[in-house]
Amino acid sequence: GLEKYISGIILFQETVDQKTKEGTLFTEILTKKGILPGIKLDRGTRPISGTNGELHTQGLDDLEKRAAEFYSKGCRFAKWRCVLRIGAGIPSELSVNLTATTLARYASICQANGLVPIV
């Protein structure tokens, strides 16, 4: 089966709560097959004021709560997307510092709640 070729799957919030006709959570089915469920935790990006269109990833505000919730639902790792634009004069120092700080906070919060962060 699928478990022969895939060891982990990144799910979206909506997918984590889906169940089979019999009422079994999708994460339970994956776990029984030896496939680790993961979760996408970032909430998209927004422009960084004062930059040339650089972006900052959102979602740290309630990450502690969401990480604990998704761990309790069977997720064991997490994905977080950060964007650094490369070009003439970019990334800016501000963008690099924001990205590094955000990734560090994301990783720390995930680990504190039992999730392995993909950085």
Side-chain angles (χ1 to χ4, degrees), residues 4 10 12 14 18 24 28-29 33-37 43 46 53 55 57 61 69 82-83 97-98 107 114:
K4 199 169 155 183
I10 300 169
F12 285 86
E14 310 82 52
Q18 289 180 350
T24 307
E28 289 177 34
I29 292 170
K33 290 187 167 287
I35 300 171
L36 293 174
R43 298 221 173 186
R46 290 202 157 173
L55 302 171
T57 303
D61 294 344
E69 175 188 347
C82 279
V83 178
N97 288 339
L98 275 173

Side-chain angles (χ1 to χ4, degrees), residues 20-119:
T20 64
K21 291 184 278 186
E22 296 77 27
T24 307
L25 282 170
F26 190 48
T27 54
E28 289 177 34
I29 292 170
L30 292 170
T31 301
K32 285 179 185 172
K33 290 187 167 287
I35 300 171
L36 293 174
I39 182 70
K40 174 196 173 288
L41 287 175
D42 70 84
R43 298 221 173 186
T45 59
R46 290 202 157 173
I48 302 170
S49 297
T51 67
N52 188 17
E54 293 178 285
L55 302 171
H56 182 247
T57 303
Q58 304 295 297
L60 288 176
D61 294 344
D62 62 346
L63 183 58
E64 184 95 31
K65 177 182 162 218
R66 291 184 299 121
E69 175 188 347
F70 288 116
Y71 182 87
S72 74
K73 292 179 178 183
C75 294
R76 294 299 175 255
F77 69 94
K79 170 216 177 253
W80 185 275
R81 174 185 65 153
C82 279
V83 178
L84 280 176
R85 297 179 84 184
I86 308 296
I90 57 174
S92 64
E93 186 174 339
L94 173 61
S95 180
V96 170
N97 288 339
L98 275 173
T99 298
T101 301
T102 298
L103 284 171
R105 288 186 61 209
Y106 147 75
S108 176
I109 292 168
C110 283
Q111 289 173 335
N113 287 281
L115 297 174
V116 175
I118 297 174
V119 177

